Amino acid sequence: MTESPVFLLTPRRFEDARGWFSETYSQASMAKFGVNETFVQDNQSFSRQTGTVRGIHFQRPPHAQAKLVRCVRGSLIDYAVDLRRQSPTFGRWVSIRLSADGGEQLYIPVGFGHAFATLEPDVEIAYKVTDVYAPDCDGGVRWNDPKLAIEWPLPASGAVLSDKDAVLPSLDELDVDFAYDGRPLLPLAV
């Protein structure tokens, strides 16, 4: 089990003259990190413009989701925000650059909001989740909440947002309380 509930992993790539092969998910490998959940759905999104911000999203119980996130085209900065009120790191976040070239993946457990910002045009992100999408459990926190003070790598033109993300509530208005497992959010080991 990892010390931090959010962690980075980089699956090994086997290269030859044709290119490379990588096992992007293994239940046995994830169990070595203390992840014993079953992933039930794969999602993928495409963002046309640099500076597209998606998030900060989560699902409430009974359909709360853990995520295993990777960038499959281009590059982005991925964020996990601690939304467990009893955690000493409530409201804190970690971020990491994910790229298709690097193959890095970020594991984000239940109790954390997820967001990303694209660093270039035409970015695709793919992620596995541990529960199905349930619109009645869908939630989020405003991407630019000053209490979070997230450092977004945005172009001079600013963030490209959905109408939904532009009006999400602040952290103080959040109406969810995820369970705290005794592990505070720690900086990502790179």
Side-chain angles (χ1 to χ4, degrees):
M1 179 177 281
T2 62
E3 290 182 32
S4 182
V6 175
F7 60 89
L8 183 71
L9 59 135
T10 304
R12 189 170 162 202
R13 287 185 173 174
F14 300 91
E15 296 191 44
D16 63 21
R18 301 167 296 170
W20 55 264
F21 168 85
S22 181
E23 185 178 88
T24 61
Y25 174 74
S26 163
Q27 189 175 24
S29 294
M30 292 301 286
K32 292 177 186 174
F33 291 104
V35 176
N36 296 306
E37 296 141 327
T38 301
F39 290 95
V40 300
Q41 182 174 306
D42 285 354
N43 300 324
Q44 187 164 342
S45 74
F46 170 74
S47 299
R48 286 189 179 84
Q49 298 177 17
T50 302
T52 297
V53 172
R54 294 183 187 252
I56 304 165
H57 300 149
F58 61 86
Q59 276 196 179
R60 292 173 182 81
H63 294 289
Q65 297 175 327
K67 297 178 180 180
L68 182 61
V69 182
R70 65 189 174 106
C71 183
V72 295
R73 181 175 171 191
S75 61
L76 54 89
I77 301 294
D78 207 61
Y79 297 85
V81 180
D82 192 344
L83 300 177
R84 304 166 301 162
R85 288 195 187 278
Q86 301 307 309
S87 170
T89 54
F90 173 72
R92 293 191 199 155
W93 51 272
V94 293
S95 66
I96 192 75
R97 182 180 186 272
L98 302 180
S99 70
D101 289 341
E104 312 88 354
Q105 297 183 30
L106 189 64
Y107 173 74
I108 305 169
V110 168
F112 288 79
H114 173 243
F116 65 88
T118 61
L119 297 174
E120 58 191 274
D122 301 330
V123 171
E124 290 182 59
I125 184 173
Y127 53 100
K128 304 180 99 40
V129 295
T130 58
D131 208 322
V132 297
Y133 174 64
D136 55 321
C137 296
D138 194 28
V141 178
R142 189 174 319 121
W143 72 282
N144 62 351
D145 184 336
K147 196 166 219 171
L148 296 175
I150 292 178
E151 300 165 5
W152 298 99
L154 299 175
S157 56
V160 178
L161 299 167
S162 70
D163 292 342
K164 173 186 157 186
D165 286 354
V167 298
L168 288 172
S170 70
L171 186 65
D172 288 339
E173 299 167 320
L174 193 61
D175 66 346
V176 69
D177 189 11
F178 290 104
Y180 176 56
D181 65 358
R183 294 184 300 157
L185 180 62
L186 300 175
L188 292 171
V190 181

